[in-house]
Amino acid sequence: MSKPVFTGSFTQQEAIPEAAIDAAVAVMRSGRLHRYNVVPGEAGETALLEQEFAAFTGAKYCLAVASGGYAMGAALRAIGVGPGDKVLTNGFTLAPVPGAIAAVSAEPVFVEVTDQLVIDLGDLSAKIERSGARVLLLSHMRGHLCDMDRLMEICDAAGVKVIEDCAHTMGGAWRGVPSGRHGLVGCYSTQTYKHINSGEGGLLISDDAEVMAKAVMLSGSYMLYGKNGAVPPVDTFENVKYVTPNVSGRMDNLRAAILRPQLADLPAQIARWNALYHALEDGLRNTPGLKVIERPAEEDIVGSSIQLLLPGASADVIGAIVDGCLHRGVELKWFGAAEPVAFTSRYDSWRYAPAQTLPKTDDILAGLLDMRLPLTFSVEDAKLIAEIIRDEVITALPQAAE
Ligand SMILES: *Cc1c(COP(=O)(O)O)cnc(C)c1O
């Protein structure tokens, strides 16, 4: 009997909902795509999105921007990071995170990750001490949240400001507090592979009036900031409006129109993602030699991707598993491969930063596999994918099964 094969696409997202398409068409018919091009009495789609996202997260202020990377760069700049400053960040994240640090001519200081794929709090404390850095750009990479209470205790005690990269945790929470609400600023991406899709786009939230006023000026609000959807009182801008440069990165009404109906649907979408995630997790748990990452009870997850560990497996064995799965239609990203494929996520791929070594992170990434779970998959698909991975792991690691 031939082995089952999966035929879905790991990069195929769902269609944009009809309500979003209608809203986009209405913006195009109006001709008013620029966020500040509104008629009297009209709020504009971008300002409305800002209000709705502030309400969704519980933040006082929200700014919609051109990308998640832009949001992080604006956040760093708004809190005063400048050339030569050191910024702590995860050794395992995505290229736009160290890129945002480099964009303000600051220097990334990479922190180890644990086998739960979160920042190592012991190493964080040590590196706060050793580097003297007073800013942490914390990446909730692949949706994993660390103990956010403990992290904030460490950072508050050391006077370290926290910016959260929530590209993979929009809709997630730690002990009921939404991701992005622990630090000074939360940054989100609305790029196609994240939780709401406008092709490109980003959102930034904060309760800090001055930081937000600076971010709004940076984004290119001109003197029209009063038209934004969720901004601090106008007098906050008095001190910042002539001394903050315009680094244009606004969102436009077309993208915002596409995003608003998706934001309204997000809670239902999260439930669908988690159903896929748990089907895979259940199908793979107790596979000899393979470890699923048990999620803490404090964490509300958004299972838009899943990570698997093959601790101690050799590169040849992992290569055989990745190839075997690929032949059966299951695309796994292996973070331990010698050359990065499609995108970079390891600290040693970012050679514009001073050379650093993170032995613990190296060990973990050597055995780390990753898979996206687009909502075009069904729970049946997820079960089949789990069966294929399990089968290929057992084939490549027969001794582990004994
Ligand atoms: C996608 C992503 C971002 C932001 O990406 P943009 O493409 O700039 O919107 C930031 N952090 C992580 C971990 C990401 O995956």
Side-chain angles (χ1 to χ4, degrees), residues 200-213:
E200 303 288 353
L203 292 154
L204 181 156
I205 58 167
S206 185
D207 282 354
D208 187 292
E210 192 179 326
V211 165
M212 186 53 78

Side-chain angles (χ1 to χ4, degrees), residues 47-63:
L48 291 171
L49 174 67
E50 287 167 340
Q51 285 169 11
E52 289 162 5
F53 197 71
F56 177 76
T57 53
K60 273 193 189 160
Y61 313 121
C62 175
L63 173 68

Side-chain angles (χ1 to χ4, degrees), residues 67-69 72 93-94 96-97 139 141 165 167-168 189 191 194 200-201:
S67 72
M72 293 184 287
T93 178
L94 193 75
V97 178
S139 184
M141 180 61 173
D165 164 24
H168 301 166
S189 170
Q191 189 239 76
K194 315 298 162 109
E200 303 288 353

Side-chain angles (χ1 to χ4, degrees), residues 163-338:
I163 298 170
E164 292 179 70
D165 164 24
C166 307
H168 301 166
T169 53
M170 182 188 287
W174 180 262
R175 287 215 294 131
V177 177
S179 176
R181 297 289 295 135
H182 294 85
L184 185 55
V185 185
C187 301
Y188 304 79
S189 170
T190 65
Q191 189 239 76
T192 295
Y193 298 109
K194 315 298 162 109
H195 298 170
I196 55 178
N197 172 11
S198 57
E200 303 288 353
L203 292 154
L204 181 156
I205 58 167
S206 185
D207 282 354
D208 187 292
E210 192 179 326
V211 165
M212 186 53 78
K214 285 182 181 163
V216 169
M217 293 310 299
L218 282 167
S219 76
S221 63
Y222 315 118
M223 296 296 144
L224 300 167
Y225 45 79
K227 291 187 177 179
N228 277 51
V231 280
V234 170
D235 60 350
T236 324
F237 287 86
E238 289 308 314
N239 296 328
V240 305
K241 67 184 183 186
Y242 296 119
V243 294
T244 309
N246 178 324
V247 187
S248 286
R250 294 172 301 271
M251 184 178 278
D252 58 88
N253 286 333
L254 190 52
R255 279 175 201 181
I258 293 172
L259 291 171
R260 290 180 59 217
Q262 294 182 63
L263 180 60
D265 286 347
L266 185 55
Q269 301 290 77
I270 291 172
R272 293 177 59 208
W273 260 308
N274 290 349
L276 297 180
Y277 186 94
H278 292 303
L280 259 149
E281 196 183 36
D282 291 347
L284 289 169
R285 209 182 252 122
N286 306 322
T287 301
L290 182 81
K291 231 176 96 183
V292 302
I293 296 172
E294 299 298 341
R295 311 298 293 257
E298 294 89 342
E299 194 185 18
D300 287 328
I301 72 161
V302 183
S304 55
S305 71
I306 190 164
Q307 290 68 47
L308 307 165
L309 291 166
L310 291 157
S314 70
D316 286 351
V317 164
I318 299 176
I321 293 169
V322 171
D323 284 351
C325 287
L326 190 60
H327 279 115
R328 297 172 67 181
V330 175
E331 276 175 51
L332 297 170
K333 166 97 179 172
W334 176 30
F335 288 105

